Amino acid sequence: MNTELRNRLEQELEGNLKSLVANIAPPTGAKPLTAGAIAHPAATHSLFGSIVDAAAVIKDHIIDWVTKHEDLAALVPLKDILFLSQRDDHGLTRKDIVVALLKLLTTDGYFLKHWVNLPKEIQEFGEALLHGQDPPESSHPVPATIEFHEAKRVVAHRFTMQSKNPQDDDPVIAEDDNTSMTFTKNLPFSNWGGNVKNTPRYTFVARTVIGVQNLVKWAKEKNYKVRCAGYTHTWSDSYSETGQVLVTLLPLHEASTYPSPELPINSKYLQSIEVVKDLGNQAHVRIGAGTTNNQFREWAFNQKQWTLPMNVIMVEITFGGSNAPICHGAGIKNSTLSDLVVALEYVDSNGVCQTLTDPAELKAASGCFGLLGIVTAITLRVDKMSAAVLQPSKPRIALAVPPPPDYPIPAGVDMNGITQDDLKNAQLEFEANCKKDYSEWFWFPYNRRGWVNCWDQSPDPPMSVQAFPSNFEANLEWIGGYILRLLVDFSVFKLLPGKTQGWLLGWLAMFQLEGSDSASSASPTVALKSDALHFQRGIQNFAPVSDMEWEIPIPEKADG
């Protein structure tokens, strides 16, 4: 880069920074920031330490980008988002973040082509935010229709055309209403994490139990392997193989469209919820394997009688998909979703319907990673509805999960200003949180703070309780997750060093989560437990996502 261009860019960035800092509106009673803070890094501190230090790092990275990539026009909107970090502790809200991201989405050519294909109701919601207006009220928290989405039209078109124009050797698999099961040939497959890819010979969409039976019998005759997939959140390679058969119990466009819709129960598919036994404080509920978490959440909210004791956070997952790999929730008092199974219905390798109810058999069968057959329905033991009293917080990470005494502290954990008394009090709070009905701690790399979401339930939920999150907040989360998906594929963003990418994404993620500095300073929110288990929406939209998990054994004390 020539010296003149570099100097001009530095002046532009410095000018933008001074203007931004000078115009920050601090909270009532807070000391206003001034442009002079730029020359005095110790003058103020934010969530990530010195505001100025963070800004200087960002500025240096932008300079480095332009050295390699002189498309200055592409840098402008991303630069504005990066500079928002200066306002971390000075009144910045989740809405501010989404509005900043929306500006990027509606002005830059790369993002704009995705924006115009979003559902009309989301475009209206976003336009209102951009113009400082109240978004239109919506009876549904996020879009229930995806007719505007180009990806859905393309996939559905390919799927339908190949199904209606079969070749001589293509199968005709009958459903129970005498229609033929739809399929497509050689459709490339990728899981949500993007780490499993293959091309099955056939991808089928099964709508009925008889259809599944007929499919398995045909596959056995033709010597094909059959595997099932839903929203594909499993990182292990438990799916189909190239040249084999993949079957899904969801409409294909519903499972493979981004941003993901939240559709109501469709009785034409294996989606259903039925209370089969009322036991007083518990009940047995039969759930179709293609039923999604969001459909169950809406059912639970509307009837306000029954809830799962635990669940995964995501709403875009089928019950067949969460049961097979033994998914779980959080809390020392809880086990796994598979431990709640009291009946399992499946089609075995001979195409025969089977039902298991013996508790000893269910210990092996309820979480069998798809090896038993294609599960069509499960019956779960659920609890009487209760309420959750939520007081999430964002303490310093060393106070969220305090290190044991004399434990070597990693360099990335900021201990500045934390006293031994602080650590002792944090230890007591951590131990108390571990004993609560729901316990979860989040930390995004390179962030100075963590997010603590630990709560107890109340046995008598108010029947007038509002949906949580609200429709407005759910829309913000849904849009924010999708824009982050686009951001990580943005060519300019990819020029950032990996550490900076991680820091920025973590910073944005923290603003997607509600919480104050400590639980004691947060106003409690009362929500139905079935809503509180799914406190964050739009996670499906942020893909691909890599995953790494550890199981850490906790030894028992002498008293057990």
Side-chain angles (χ1 to χ4, degrees):
M1 182 192 300
N2 63 58
T3 303
E4 181 181 353
L5 176 60
R6 184 184 184 92
N7 290 339
R8 182 165 61 83
L9 182 60
E10 284 189 327
Q11 290 173 3
E12 179 186 352
L13 293 174
E14 190 76 8
N16 273 277
L17 177 60
K18 289 182 177 180
S19 176
L20 177 65
V21 173
N23 287 286
I24 289 174
T28 303
K31 183 178 179 179
L33 284 175
T34 65
I38 296 173
H40 303 285
T44 182
H45 290 272
S46 72
L47 185 63
F48 311 101
S50 167
I51 290 176
V52 180
D53 287 347
V57 170
I58 294 169
K59 186 179 74 172
D60 289 342
H61 285 323
I62 294 178
I63 297 292
D64 291 339
W65 298 346
V66 180
T67 302
K68 302 174 183 177
H69 186 83
E70 298 191 10
D71 186 2
L72 296 181
L75 285 173
V76 174
L78 184 58
K79 177 189 64 180
D80 291 341
I81 291 176
L82 290 168
F83 280 149
L84 277 172
S85 64
Q86 312 317 303
R87 293 182 55 186
D88 177 71
D89 284 337
H90 299 273
L92 189 64
T93 67
R94 173 161 44 185
K95 180 179 176 182
D96 295 326
I97 290 291
V98 172
V99 169
L101 291 170
L102 280 171
K103 288 179 180 179
L104 184 66
L105 190 65
T106 55
T107 56
D108 181 84
Y110 162 76
F111 293 92
L112 186 60
K113 66 182 180 182
H114 296 280
W115 171 254
V116 297
N117 286 318
L118 287 177
K120 181 180 179 181
E121 56 266 41
I122 280 295
Q123 293 191 41
E124 292 176 347
F125 184 92
E127 291 291 342
L129 289 178
L130 286 170
H131 291 91
Q133 302 169 354
D134 292 330
E137 288 293 327
S138 172
S139 59
H140 198 280
V142 300
T145 58
I146 48 176
E147 278 67 31
F148 297 93
H149 198 287
E150 184 65 23
K152 179 264 181 183
R153 293 203 298 268
V154 171
V155 172
H157 175 72
R158 289 179 57 191
F159 197 83
T160 303
M161 291 301 292
Q162 294 190 35
S163 299
K164 289 184 176 180
N165 297 281
Q167 304 298 314
D168 291 339
D169 61 340
D170 286 339
V172 178
I173 310 298
E175 299 275 14
D176 69 353
D177 55 2
N178 293 321
T179 61
S180 296
M181 187 180 296
T182 54
F183 68 88
T184 191
K185 294 166 61 176
N186 302 316
L187 182 67
F189 170 86
S190 175
N191 66 332
W192 188 62
N195 65 304
V196 179
K197 299 179 185 293
N198 53 57
T199 305
R201 171 65 172 166
Y202 294 101
T203 300
F204 288 92
V205 175
R207 296 188 296 103
T208 64
V209 174
I210 289 179
V212 173
Q213 289 182 272
N214 290 334
L215 173 61
V216 172
K217 291 175 182 177
W218 167 82
K220 181 179 180 181
E221 178 185 344
K222 300 295 184 180
N223 200 30
Y224 282 116
K225 297 178 183 178
V226 180
R227 296 291 285 177
C228 197
Y231 281 101
T232 73
H233 292 149
T234 301
W235 286 270
S236 58
D237 192 356
S238 59
Y239 303 101
S240 185
E241 303 172 12
T242 294
Q244 299 300 323
V245 172
L246 179 69
V247 60
T248 179
L249 308 184
L250 290 169
L252 188 66
H253 59 264
E254 182 175 344
S256 59
T257 295
Y258 296 98
S260 178
E262 294 183 4
L263 301 178
I265 285 181
N266 187 340
S267 60
K268 293 181 179 180
Y269 291 82
L270 291 171
Q271 297 181 339
S272 61
I273 304 172
E274 177 188 5
V275 178
V276 295
K277 184 180 289 187
D278 188 334
L279 302 173
N281 288 328
Q282 291 186 323
H284 292 173
V285 178
R286 182 181 181 274
I287 305 170
T291 307
T292 70
N293 265 356
N294 191 60
Q295 292 165 352
F296 188 87
R297 183 198 63 79
E298 289 189 334
W299 174 83
F301 181 83
N302 290 332
Q303 50 85 27
K304 294 181 174 63
Q305 290 183 317
W306 307 108
T307 179
L308 286 167
M310 94 291 289
N311 205 339
V312 300
I313 301 169
M314 294 184 71
V315 296
E316 304 92 347
I317 184 173
T318 64
F319 275 82
S322 60
N323 172 67
I326 319 179
C327 290
H328 56 86
I332 199 169
K333 301 176 183 179
N334 296 319
S335 52
T336 74
L337 287 168
S338 299
D339 291 305
L340 304 176
V341 176
V342 296
L344 187 76
E345 301 169 40
Y346 68 98
V347 175
D348 67 15
S349 59
N350 294 313
V352 178
C353 289
Q354 305 281 4
T355 300
L356 296 179
T357 57
D358 181 85
E361 293 179 339
L362 286 172
K363 285 184 179 180
S366 60
C368 63
F369 302 95
L371 298 177
L372 193 66
I374 298 178
V375 174
T376 56
I378 56 177
T379 301
L380 298 177
R381 182 178 64 255
V382 301
D383 291 345
K384 197 172 186 64
M385 180 61 77
S386 58
V389 183
L390 304 167
Q391 288 182 284
S393 60
K394 298 180 179 180
R396 298 267 294 277
I397 188 60
L399 300 178
V401 183
D406 302 322
Y407 188 85
I409 309 299
V413 178
D414 181 13
M415 300 295 293
N416 185 42
I418 296 178
T419 66
Q420 287 301 311
D421 285 341
D422 292 334
L423 290 174
K424 289 179 181 179
N425 292 332
Q427 180 70 27
L428 294 174
E429 184 173 357
F430 177 75
E431 292 176 358
N433 282 335
C434 288
K435 299 175 183 178
K436 291 185 176 181
D437 294 316
Y438 186 97
S439 305
E440 203 158 36
W441 292 262
F442 287 77
W443 180 65
F444 299 96
Y446 314 119
N447 277 257
R448 191 164 177 249
R449 295 178 181 264
W451 190 70
V452 180
N453 184 34
C454 302
W455 45 263
D456 282 317
Q457 60 189 29
S458 169
D460 298 310
M463 291 299 102
S464 60
V465 66
Q466 299 298 307
F468 176 83
S470 68
N471 288 356
F472 176 76
E473 293 293 332
N475 269 297
L476 286 180
E477 294 167 3
W478 191 86
I479 294 174
Y482 180 58
I483 300 176
L484 288 179
R485 171 187 170 87
L486 299 178
L487 182 63
V488 297
D489 283 334
F490 189 26
S491 59
V492 176
F493 181 83
K494 290 180 178 180
L495 294 173
L496 277 167
K499 183 175 180 178
T500 305
Q501 291 184 30
W503 170 81
L504 175 61
L505 291 174
W507 179 77
L508 291 170
M510 283 292 282
F511 268 106
Q512 286 277 74
L513 299 167
E514 295 288 348
S516 57
D517 287 349
S518 64
S520 59
S521 62
S523 299
T525 297
V526 178
L528 292 183
K529 184 174 182 178
S530 52
D531 274 357
L533 293 172
H534 306 294
F535 57 84
Q536 184 71 20
R537 309 294 280 281
I539 302 173
Q540 168 77 0
N541 295 338
F542 185 31
V545 173
S546 298
D547 177 68
M548 186 182 297
E549 298 186 10
W550 294 271
E551 290 189 5
I552 304 174
I554 302 175
E556 290 186 357
K557 292 184 176 180
D559 59 3

